[in-house]
Amino acid sequence: MDVHAPHEPIHSWRDFAIHLTIVTIGLFIALSLEALVEHLHNRHLVREARANIRQEIEIDDQAARKDIALVQQNIDTIRANIDTIHLLQIHPKDFHGSLTNSMSFDTLNDAAWRTARDTGALSFMPYGEVQRYSDLYMLEDLVNQKAIRAGEQSFRASIPTLMGYNISSIPAEELTQMLRDNA
């Protein structure tokens, strides 16, 4: 922002007051316009953040609904593994079956939330709205962490089969550990 000296010399206090008033009004107009542009930019930022978060929540809702069905499939697989391990413990030499240690899960996303936070859009939203989003994304993060841990546990449950053991000759303590890890 530039403020220029008067083009004509100032000869009286009246000329000085007029010049000062003109400069003050000019600065006020310039600062007001700058504040208006900033306000409009912030409103656009919030509107875009809300739209992105809303879209992300809808996608995460669909993923969560799918995950509910996948959880039941994962539980069924674990139960089948436990039954198989019990059979293997009872009849190791006559065993004919398989173990399946896998877990399916759609990760819940938080890119729109992180972007809104990092761009400062959240600071222009009402506190209650930000708190609701914060609670939701905290729960999503918790679900993602639990799913990762469950996947790691599923992997650990299959370690004895990955160690090269013949499935019918897995040591009893390994079978017990496999039961624990599956459970």
Side-chain angles (χ1 to χ4, degrees), residues 70-80:
L70 291 173
V71 165
Q72 188 57 52
Q73 289 176 359
N74 294 332
I75 290 170
D76 292 343
T77 299
I78 290 168
R79 284 185 179 147

Side-chain angles (χ1 to χ4, degrees), residues 68-97:
I68 290 170
L70 291 173
V71 165
Q72 188 57 52
Q73 289 176 359
N74 294 332
I75 290 170
D76 292 343
T77 299
I78 290 168
R79 284 185 179 147
N81 283 346
I82 290 171
D83 292 343
T84 300
I85 294 169
H86 281 300
L87 283 172
L88 190 57
Q89 286 176 320
I90 296 169
H91 306 290
K93 301 298 180 199
D94 299 332
F95 176 75
H96 298 290

Side-chain angles (χ1 to χ4, degrees), residues 25-114:
I25 291 171
L27 287 173
F28 177 75
I29 291 170
L31 292 173
S32 295
L33 288 174
E34 183 178 344
L36 175 65
V37 168
E38 187 69 22
H39 174 72
L40 293 174
H41 171 72
N42 293 342
R43 284 183 54 184
H44 173 74
L45 192 65
V46 167
R47 188 171 43 251
E48 188 175 327
R50 280 185 179 131
N52 290 340
I53 289 171
R54 192 173 302 117
Q55 181 181 17
E56 185 172 74
I57 289 171
E58 289 173 7
I59 291 168
D60 286 346
D61 179 60
Q62 294 169 1
R65 291 176 190 277
K66 183 179 173 185
D67 286 341
I68 290 170
L70 291 173
V71 165
Q72 188 57 52
Q73 289 176 359
N74 294 332
I75 290 170
D76 292 343
T77 299
I78 290 168
R79 284 185 179 147
N81 283 346
I82 290 171
D83 292 343
T84 300
I85 294 169
H86 281 300
L87 283 172
L88 190 57
Q89 286 176 320
I90 296 169
H91 306 290
K93 301 298 180 199
D94 299 332
F95 176 75
H96 298 290
S98 66
L99 294 170
T100 305
N101 286 90
S102 66
M103 191 186 111
S104 300
F105 178 78
D106 278 357
T107 306
L108 303 175
N109 302 303
D110 66 350
W113 168 253
R114 284 185 284 114

Side-chain angles (χ1 to χ4, degrees), residues 1 10 12 37 65 104 110 124 160 162 169:
M1 185 177 309
I10 297 176
S12 67
V37 168
R65 291 176 190 277
S104 300
D110 66 350
F124 301 110
L162 300 173
S169 63

